[in-house]
Amino acid sequence: MTIFHSESKGFGDLFVLPVWEGGEIAIDWNGDIEALERGDFNYSGGQRILLLGLGKKCAGRCCMRKSYGAAVLRCVGKEWKKVVFGMPEGISQVGAIEGAMSACYSFDAYKEKGEKIFEEGVFLGADPKVLEDCMLF
């Protein structure tokens, strides 16, 4: 699996849209809010949207680890190749990246065919230095 950061709003098979407690979208997103309110979670080009609850705005490392890990686990069994994670400012990016990467772990060394969750993970708005540091574990 390839993991990298991006500053542009890239498209993938799934876009993980972080939301604060109370329903406030946690990133600068110009998507169709009315469509989400209607329950239409498909975006242009067939991209799916997963709303990711982050809890209170003061959410720290442990909360981000759980939230982003849960988003990755939601991808198990799907045939999505590219997942784009929105990363709000002011959160523990380390916790979010650790949670996502830890959830991707699968001990399948002795299995004929391991289950691949997705091929490419993009952390939209992540600090490249933080991402590089997280890749070392």
Side-chain angles (χ1 to χ4, degrees):
M1 173 179 51
T2 306
I3 302 283
F4 58 95
H5 81 283
S6 176
E7 294 300 324
S8 65
K9 292 180 172 58
F11 287 98
D13 299 307
L14 178 70
F15 180 65
V16 179
L17 181 63
V19 179
W20 295 117
E21 183 177 304
E24 179 187 347
I25 295 177
I27 62 171
D28 182 23
W29 186 66
N30 59 357
D32 187 358
I33 299 295
E34 291 175 2
L36 293 179
E37 289 173 350
R38 287 191 312 267
D40 180 9
F41 294 95
N42 289 316
Y43 200 58
S44 63
Q47 181 183 34
R48 291 164 188 86
I49 297 174
L50 173 66
L51 296 180
L52 177 63
L54 299 179
K56 299 180 189 232
K57 281 193 177 184
C58 61
R61 188 173 186 167
C62 186
C63 185
M64 292 300 107
R65 190 179 294 127
K66 289 177 185 178
S67 293
Y68 280 81
V72 168
L73 293 177
R74 181 68 175 99
C75 298
V76 173
K78 311 292 190 274
E79 295 191 14
W80 299 329
K81 295 190 184 314
K82 181 178 179 182
V83 176
V84 180
F85 297 90
M87 297 285 283
E89 291 183 21
I91 67 161
S92 171
Q93 290 188 355
V94 171
I97 294 166
E98 285 177 348
M101 292 177 65
S102 296
C104 287
Y105 177 77
S106 172
F107 183 76
D108 55 9
Y110 298 106
K111 294 181 180 177
E112 288 182 28
K113 182 180 177 188
E115 186 171 28
K116 187 179 275 190
I117 297 178
F118 50 82
E119 293 176 13
E120 191 175 311
V122 179
F123 290 92
L124 186 64
D127 180 342
K129 176 72 173 123
V130 171
L131 188 60
E132 181 181 321
D133 290 347
C134 289
M135 298 294 285
L136 298 176
F137 82 88

